[in-house]
Amino acid sequence: MPDLYTAIRDDHDEHRALLSSIADTWEDPARRKAWVRFYTEVKSHTVAEEEALYSRLLAATEDSTARETAREHEALDALMEELNGTEMNSLAWATKFKKLQEDYLHHIEAEEHDIFPRARREIPAGEIGVAGDQFVQRKAEARRLAMPARRGDLEELED
Ligand SMILES: [Fe+2]
Ligand SMILES: [Fe+2]
């Protein structure tokens, strides 16, 4: 099992790749598939990250930067739901997606460069393996819950 920081960073690398492919691919169904994967991955990543990383960090220290970065999850989630409710081949979708891309890239940069160093100071190194396992397990559970939306989207594609 990877340690917590490696598991999160590996996810971020996949999210970056998916964002680029969504931005660069205009034809369905490739873009829709990449979007559905991004949505499902980020939804489950965020739930697992809050439990495995932020809850530990915020239990160890009253860190307002960590609290604010964790709170960005709500706005990102709301923007993803807005995108799900918007016709994908529209200017509105493209505009909202551009905002999501910028905001999300900024968010994961902040996690890697600002939150990880804070967490390394506050969370005992001996807990990082257990936290990594918790992250992977929690993400798998959350991904199953995010699945119905994905199945719905794919069924729509086949209509
Ligand atoms: Fe995050
Ligand atoms: Fe993250």
Side-chain angles (χ1 to χ4, degrees):
M1 286 284 193
D3 75 70
L4 177 64
Y5 304 117
T6 306
I8 291 177
R9 196 186 296 267
D10 286 352
D11 273 9
H12 289 174
D13 286 344
E14 187 188 357
H15 301 162
R16 287 185 185 95
L18 285 167
L19 283 169
S20 299
S21 75
I22 296 163
D24 295 345
T25 312
W26 286 94
E27 55 306 324
D28 268 340
R31 185 166 60 146
R32 190 173 300 269
K33 280 189 175 149
W35 164 253
V36 170
R37 179 155 178 88
F38 178 82
Y39 172 86
T40 310
E41 284 297 310
V42 171
K43 280 275 217 197
S44 49
H45 171 92
T46 299
V47 168
E49 194 173 66
E50 285 176 5
E51 289 191 19
L53 173 67
Y54 286 102
S55 69
R56 279 190 172 78
L57 178 54
L58 292 169
T61 176
E62 183 44 55
D63 184 319
S64 61
T65 301
R67 195 171 292 282
E68 279 161 28
T69 306
R71 221 174 258 150
E72 289 171 3
H73 288 168
E74 287 170 35
L76 290 162
D77 194 58
L79 195 46
M80 289 203 301
E81 293 304 338
E82 258 186 64
L83 276 155
N84 268 343
T86 305
E87 168 53 47
M88 189 176 257
N89 296 311
S90 67
L91 184 60
W93 199 92
T95 306
K96 286 182 212 288
F97 176 75
K98 195 164 169 37
K99 174 158 174 53
L100 176 71
Q101 186 177 25
E102 285 171 7
D103 290 356
Y104 192 71
L105 290 175
H106 182 268
H107 175 77
I108 60 182
E109 288 283 308
E111 287 184 334
E112 292 174 6
H113 296 119
D114 196 0
I115 301 302
F116 282 9
R118 288 165 197 267
R120 284 198 169 93
R121 282 198 298 274
E122 300 294 340
I123 302 171
E127 268 186 48
I128 290 308
V130 173
D133 289 349
Q134 186 192 16
F135 176 82
V136 170
Q137 273 174 23
R138 193 64 191 93
K139 193 182 151 198
E141 287 164 15
R143 203 200 271 114
R144 277 196 291 278
L145 292 176
M147 279 292 197
R150 177 159 81 166
R151 271 202 294 276
D153 276 4
L154 292 177
E155 273 160 23
E156 211 173 89
L157 254 187
E158 285 157 12
D159 284 347

